[in-house]
Amino acid sequence: MATQIYLNLPVKDLKRSVDFFTALGFSFNPDYTDENATCMIINDNAFVMLLVEGFFKTFTHKDVADAAGSTEAIMAYSVDSKEAVDETVRKALAAGGTPSQEVQDYGFMYSHSFQDPDGHLWEVMWMDPAGPPAGETPAGSTESPAN
C-alpha cells in the first residue's frame, strides 16, 4: 500500500477557498467535507485538508501563522507541460490569487508560483522526464554540491 500524505492548511473562508481551488481544476471528497473542513484531492495518495482557522487551531497549541504576512511552507505540485504551468497560474490569478515569484526556467525544469486567497504559497512546476542535461544539478548549476 502506498503511503498517503495529507497537508493541513488553515483558511479564513472555506467557501472562498473551495471556489478558488475548484477554478484551478481540483475536486473535493464530500465524505470529508462539512462547515469546518474539506478534503481537496491532489491524486490518489495526496490530499490537502482545508480547515477553517478556528477548527485548525484545535489541532495545535502553537500559534497559527498568518500566511498573508509570513511563510509557513511552500506547496509545490507538478503538471504535464510548461504551458500547463502558465495556464494554472493564469487561472489562479483570475480566480483571486496573487502573484508570488517570477517564472523560473532552467530548460529541463520550469516553475511559476502564486498565493491563494489566504496567502499560502503554491508553486506549479514541470520537469522534463529525461531529467537535467548531463553534468547539471536540478538547480541548474554545473558545479557539484561539494564545491
Side-chain angles (χ1 to χ4, degrees), residues 78-83 85 106-110 125-134 138:
S78 63
V79 294
D80 293 333
S81 68
K82 289 181 179 184
E83 295 78 19
V85 169
Y106 299 104
F108 67 94
M109 185 170 72
Y110 183 86
M125 59 180 284
W126 167 84
M127 288 190 12
D128 186 333

Side-chain angles (χ1 to χ4, degrees), residues 13-24:
D13 181 330
L14 188 60
K15 181 183 179 331
R16 177 184 69 178
S17 294
V18 168
D19 291 346
F20 177 80
F21 287 108
T22 298
L24 297 183

Side-chain angles (χ1 to χ4, degrees), residues 73-138:
I74 299 173
M75 284 59 69
Y77 65 97
S78 63
V79 294
D80 293 333
S81 68
K82 289 181 179 184
E83 295 78 19
V85 169
D86 294 336
E87 179 63 12
T88 301
V89 172
R90 186 199 63 73
K91 286 180 182 177
L93 299 179
T98 57
S100 187
Q101 298 293 106
E102 295 296 321
V103 168
Q104 303 292 312
D105 189 349
Y106 299 104
F108 67 94
M109 185 170 72
Y110 183 86
S111 67
H112 201 182
S113 58
F114 62 87
Q115 295 180 54
D116 69 23
D118 287 288
H120 301 292
L121 302 175
W122 292 84
E123 183 176 283
V124 187
M125 59 180 284
W126 167 84
M127 288 190 12
D128 186 333
E136 284 194 25
T137 65

Side-chain angles (χ1 to χ4, degrees), residues 2 10-11 24 34 38 41 47 56 61 92 94-95 99 105-106 112 123 141:
V11 299
L24 297 183
D34 62 18
T38 189
I41 302 166
F47 309 89
F56 183 93
H61 295 291
D105 189 349
Y106 299 104
H112 201 182
E123 183 176 283
S141 169

